[in-house]
Amino acid sequence: MTDIILYSAPGTCGRVSTIVLEEAGLAFETRVIRFLKGEHKSPAFKEKNPKGKVPALEIDGAVLTENVAIIRYLAARFPEKTLLPKTSTLAEDAEITADLCFCSATLHPLVTRIRMPQFFAGPENAQAVWKAGCDAMREYFQLVEQRLANRPWWYGETWSAMDAYLYWVFWRVEGAEFPVKEYPCFCDHAGRMEERPSVLRAVAREDEMTAQLEAEGLVFTPPGVSAKP
Ligand SMILES: N[C@@H](CCC(=O)N[C@@H](CS)C(=O)NCC(=O)O)C(=O)O
């Protein structure tokens, strides 16, 4: 047991915060939230995150929510880990916030449409929602592709938490039939991510959570993926 607890669930954007905690080299406990049991909407969990979503991070006596806030907090609290680039002006700082928000506010909602299209307009419209999500995502994958054309990581030669966020987006839509192969630089980026010990450890944590859910008959499989042609 440690003083740092991350509430998450396998496959969710909790992976972003998990990777960043692993990159920071912090000792932390991962606690699974059982979506199929509605645990994320339970009064007990809503005391921690009233929005009823993962991730939520208990640290320093507070509960932090939203990946952007968690990343920002960890980067500021552990500056020696350089989880984000150092900045010297407010504008540079704002640009980093914009980059992270691009992931959480622009890309993540499209991931959800591509991954779980049935949740938006019923099973009969799942295919149309999936296609609209993919069409919108293409523009942003192209943007990322251009950015990664001459550099290994989003900010250049040095890895940052932004790369963890992009990787989660890539991995989620890759598994939902978005044509990631059309974006070779982004594919290579995902390959580099999957070699990082932090990512391997984060995935191992998810595997443990999945095993726990399997034992309880509570593994969640998004219905939308099989709804497409
Ligand atoms: N903006 C939030 C998004 C959190 C979020 O949507 N989490 C999803 C999993 S990827 C969730 O908990 N969904 C459950 C629900 O909305 O009922 C963040 O970046 O932390």
Side-chain angles (χ1 to χ4, degrees):
M1 299 287 273
T2 71
D3 292 339
I4 306 178
I5 301 169
L6 182 72
Y7 297 89
S8 189
T12 67
C13 63
R15 181 179 287 200
V16 180
S17 286
T18 312
I19 293 172
V20 177
L21 283 161
E22 288 286 3
E23 285 281 345
L26 299 171
F28 66 103
E29 182 191 342
T30 321
R31 282 201 199 155
V32 67
I33 295 299
R34 295 162 181 79
F35 278 32
L36 279 192
K37 263 176 91 177
E39 224 169 45
H40 55 311
K41 303 295 179 196
S42 67
F45 184 66
K46 279 193 163 180
E47 261 181 43
K48 300 189 185 301
N49 182 1
K51 292 168 281 191
K53 289 177 185 286
V54 296
L57 179 68
E58 259 180 33
I59 185 168
D60 292 343
V63 181
L64 311 180
T65 66
E66 302 289 333
N67 276 300
V68 174
I70 292 170
I71 291 168
R72 277 295 203 184
Y73 177 92
L74 293 173
R77 171 91 166 71
F78 305 101
E80 71 283 6
K81 308 287 184 185
T82 49
L83 298 168
L84 291 171
K86 293 202 187 322
T87 57
S88 45
T89 66
L90 278 175
E92 283 173 5
D93 205 51
E95 195 180 324
I96 290 175
T97 303
D99 289 341
L100 296 171
C101 289
F102 168 57
C103 294
S104 72
T106 299
L107 300 182
H108 187 157
L110 294 176
V111 169
T112 316
R113 280 159 182 75
I114 294 168
R115 188 86 195 148
M116 300 192 285
Q118 293 204 355
F119 288 178
F120 288 86
E124 66 283 10
N125 297 311
Q127 204 180 314
V129 172
W130 176 84
K131 186 177 178 310
C134 287
D135 289 348
M137 187 64 106
R138 281 174 187 278
E139 176 184 350
Y140 303 121
F141 258 60
Q142 192 52 40
L143 187 157
V144 175
E145 181 71 7
Q146 276 164 6
R147 174 99 176 196
L148 294 175
N150 59 359
R151 52 177 79 190
W153 306 113
W154 180 258
Y155 291 117
E157 294 304 313
T158 307
W159 182 94
S160 77
M162 179 68 185
D163 296 294
Y165 224 146
L166 288 172
Y167 168 64
W168 176 76
V169 169
F170 179 97
W171 172 70
R172 283 287 66 176
V173 300
E174 181 188 30
E177 297 169 47
F178 181 81
V180 293
K181 295 248 171 334
E182 292 174 22
Y183 307 89
C185 300
F186 205 170
C187 287
D188 289 349
H189 177 271
R192 283 189 288 278
M193 282 298 294
E194 283 167 2
E195 285 170 1
R196 290 184 84 81
S198 66
V199 175
L200 298 175
R201 287 197 296 269
V203 171
R205 282 178 184 269
E206 278 186 42
D207 289 346
E208 277 174 29
M209 289 194 285
T210 301
Q212 201 177 332
L213 292 177
E214 266 166 7
E216 298 171 16
L218 291 174
V219 172
F220 171 67
T221 311
V225 176
S226 59
K228 295 191 302 300

